[in-house]
Amino acid sequence: MLLLERIGTLVTPKPSSTKHREPPRACGKEMGEITLLRNAAVAIEGDTILEVGSSAMLEEKYPTAERIDCSGKTLLPGFVDSHTHLVFAGNRSNEFAMRLRGATYQEIYEAGGGIRSTMRSVREASLEEIVEKCRPLVQSAFAHGTTTIEVKSGYGLDTESEIKLLEAIRVLNREEEPTLVSTFLGAHAFPPEFANDRAGYVRLVIEEMIPEVAQRGLAEYCDVFTDEGYFTVEETEQIFAAAKEHGMKVRVHADELADVSAASMASRVKAVSADHLLMISEEGIADMKEGGVIATLLPGTAFYLNLPYAPARKLIEAGLPVALATDCNPGTNMCENMGMTLALACMGMRMTIEESITAATLNGAAALDRSDQIGQIAPGMKADLTLFAVPDYPDIVYHYGVNQVEMVVKNGKVAVNR
Ligand code: NIG
Ligand code: FE
């Protein structure tokens, strides 16, 4: 047994109790209602939280437990980064520099760059090369307090290369400490060989890639980039129908570059989460609320592309559950730091610090259909915890852009200790 004792500040989000939508999540204004304990302790048995309470009480109750003194520090549930593309090959710092000189993301894509540039690097790289390139990114995310990371394929765009990316996720999940949740994103862009045959590529995704990915058990989710210049709502619905037939759940890149009613579609197809939402319409907001779809916002991407942020306040006021994730990827946000993501959410989208913490823990877990196991510090939950070297939780956002994580506990074991 392990006892984290004398915790200066313990913060854990609260799921909304109303109109029971599974999995547990905090909706709208309730995202701001966190539980705060001072001088607390957490008793951990194996990989699970046994008890949470006052430090004096638990120190007495568990006298033989191994102890870690957390005085003057702040404990949160480990961050859940529910949207990343962090397996890839190559480097697009040249495109980043081009954007700083005025080129847009769309212009670079249309000139053969963007996703298709990473695609060329991925097709040339071996599985081992991809694993070794991405391992430090996974380790860095973990050192920044992220204990569960969703990772998408989507830079292969042919069957063999998409499988290679999903295999890389599987290897990293086995070998590295954070939990990796895998998503098949074959419909991320049209590869050049199908530039004049969109229907042909959609057929390849449906008839070859999805069955192969499912047969090998390589993905829990299927995602599609539904946007102007990428996949239409109709194409997306065909792909999702096939994915569901093969036992995958669905999530979607929705209305990032233009409002194409992808948010409403997400509700129709019962997506667990619709992500980005920079251009979401009023109708889209109402439909997502109705369908219980989580709104995953990626403020780092808006920041990096210099675009207007998603309307977080509107979504929260409408009562939606909002999650926060990095979108870590080589093109539109080369950043795996969830602490920085919270700061951008607060400063760029006017979320409160409490809302941003709930969005990055409980609601991120809900966006991965795991909030019955992770995302809160409560008895019965997995002991995935992040300790910050700050006396109170506002400092996590107030002092931004640096890593204030002191210790990460994963599955009940101390894994990062800085
Ligand atoms: O989430 N929006 C679509 N896909 C990624 C970008 C991928 C890239 O440019 O490499 C995103 O921002
Ligand atoms: Fe993305």
Side-chain angles (χ1 to χ4, degrees):
M1 159 141 358
L2 177 66
L3 190 67
L4 305 184
E5 62 177 13
R6 297 180 203 173
I7 303 162
T9 307
L10 182 156
V11 179
T12 184
K14 264 192 218 148
S16 302
S17 50
T18 46
K19 353 166 222 341
H20 254 282
R21 264 205 172 118
E22 292 304 320
R25 77 276 303 272
C27 298
K29 285 276 169 55
E30 289 168 300
M31 290 172 60
E33 294 170 16
I34 54 170
T35 300
L36 200 60
L37 301 175
R38 309 284 187 191
N39 205 12
V42 178
I44 297 165
E45 176 90 83
D47 64 356
T48 305
I49 297 173
L50 186 64
E51 201 168 342
V52 181
S54 90
S55 194
M57 178 184 88
L58 295 189
E59 281 168 52
E60 200 181 306
K61 189 161 171 189
Y62 303 108
T64 60
E66 182 195 335
R67 288 152 185 245
I68 298 178
D69 181 359
C70 303
S71 51
K73 318 266 166 69
T74 299
L75 190 75
L76 256 59
F79 289 135
V80 179
D81 188 351
S82 59
H83 181 142
T84 84
H85 308 247
L86 63 65
V87 291
F88 59 89
N91 174 305
R92 277 160 54 202
S93 59
N94 59 331
E95 291 181 9
F96 174 70
M98 279 162 73
R99 279 210 317 279
L100 296 179
R101 284 190 223 102
T104 67
Y105 180 65
Q106 292 285 61
E107 286 163 1
I108 291 170
Y109 176 69
E110 276 150 26
I115 293 167
R116 288 185 289 217
S117 155
T118 304
M119 177 206 78
R120 290 188 288 273
S121 308
V122 164
R123 287 183 178 181
E124 281 167 17
S126 67
L127 170 62
E128 293 70 29
E129 284 165 342
I130 295 171
V131 166
E132 292 320 316
K133 182 192 172 72
C134 300
R135 190 188 302 282
L137 267 180
V138 173
Q139 291 173 345
S140 168
F142 192 54
H144 284 82
T146 303
T147 47
T148 300
I149 316 173
E150 185 260 12
V151 188
K152 305 172 197 294
S153 67
Y155 290 120
L157 308 184
D158 62 30
T159 306
E160 188 192 332
S161 310
E162 284 295 306
I163 300 265
K164 182 166 66 183
L165 289 170
L166 292 169
E167 292 281 7
I169 299 169
R170 179 180 274 179
V171 171
L172 288 165
N173 184 43
R174 280 202 195 119
E175 296 181 355
E176 294 301 319
E177 283 163 311
T179 302
L180 267 49
V181 176
S182 69
T183 296
F184 166 65
L185 177 58
H188 194 193
F190 290 90
E193 59 274 24
F194 283 94
N196 299 312
D197 184 15
R198 296 175 66 100
Y201 187 64
V202 173
R203 255 198 323 276
L204 182 75
V205 170
I206 291 176
E207 291 173 10
E208 191 176 296
M209 292 188 193
I210 289 177
E212 186 71 26
V213 167
Q215 201 248 323
R216 295 178 187 229
L218 280 170
E220 181 171 335
Y221 287 96
C222 177
D223 192 341
V224 174
F225 188 6
T226 311
D227 220 312
E228 197 170 270
Y230 295 82
F231 293 80
T232 64
V233 163
E234 293 68 34
E235 290 162 345
T236 306
E237 290 195 76
Q238 292 166 21
I239 292 167
F240 281 166
K244 286 183 188 174
E245 265 174 41
H246 284 85
M248 290 181 220
K249 295 179 273 188
V250 302
R251 52 198 317 106
V252 61
H253 281 68
D255 303 332
E256 176 187 3
L257 306 168
D259 171 30
V260 296
S261 299
S264 299
M265 180 270 300
S267 176
R268 230 174 13 252
V269 302
K270 301 200 175 357
V272 180
S273 175
D275 302 17
H276 285 290
L277 308 174
L278 267 51
M279 308 302 279
I280 189 173
S281 65
E282 300 289 340
E283 200 183 333
I285 295 176
D287 288 340
M288 278 179 60
K289 169 105 200 284
E290 181 60 34
V293 184
I294 298 194
T296 299
L297 305 185
L298 313 158
T301 303
F303 174 70
Y304 210 72
L305 294 179
N306 202 17
L307 294 173
Y309 287 85
R313 288 259 54 89
K314 242 188 187 173
L315 296 167
I316 292 170
E317 255 119 61
L320 279 165
V322 169
L324 284 172
T326 61
D327 196 22
C328 179
N329 76 77
T332 67
N333 192 29
M334 191 59 205
C335 178
E336 67 280 21
N337 179 346
M338 279 294 279
M340 183 69 193
T341 306
L342 266 65
L344 292 172
C346 293
M347 291 185 275
M349 306 196 297
R350 311 317 293 175
M351 284 174 68
T352 67
I353 297 170
E354 295 79 7
E355 287 167 350
S356 75
I357 289 173
T358 299
T361 55
L362 169 62
N363 284 358
L368 296 180
D369 207 4
R370 280 167 169 69
S371 53
D372 55 341
Q373 301 153 46
I374 54 170
Q376 293 178 71
I377 306 179
M381 290 275 157
K382 277 258 144 44
D384 284 5
L385 305 162
T386 297
L387 186 73
F388 294 83
V390 299
D392 206 351
Y393 73 91
D395 291 74
I396 295 167
V397 174
Y398 168 64
H399 185 178
Y400 77 99
V402 290
N403 190 11
Q404 304 189 86
V405 170
E406 176 162 318
M407 181 176 87
V408 179
V409 174
K410 177 65 190 177
N411 290 327
K413 302 264 171 316
V414 176
V416 172
N417 211 342
R418 298 179 353 125

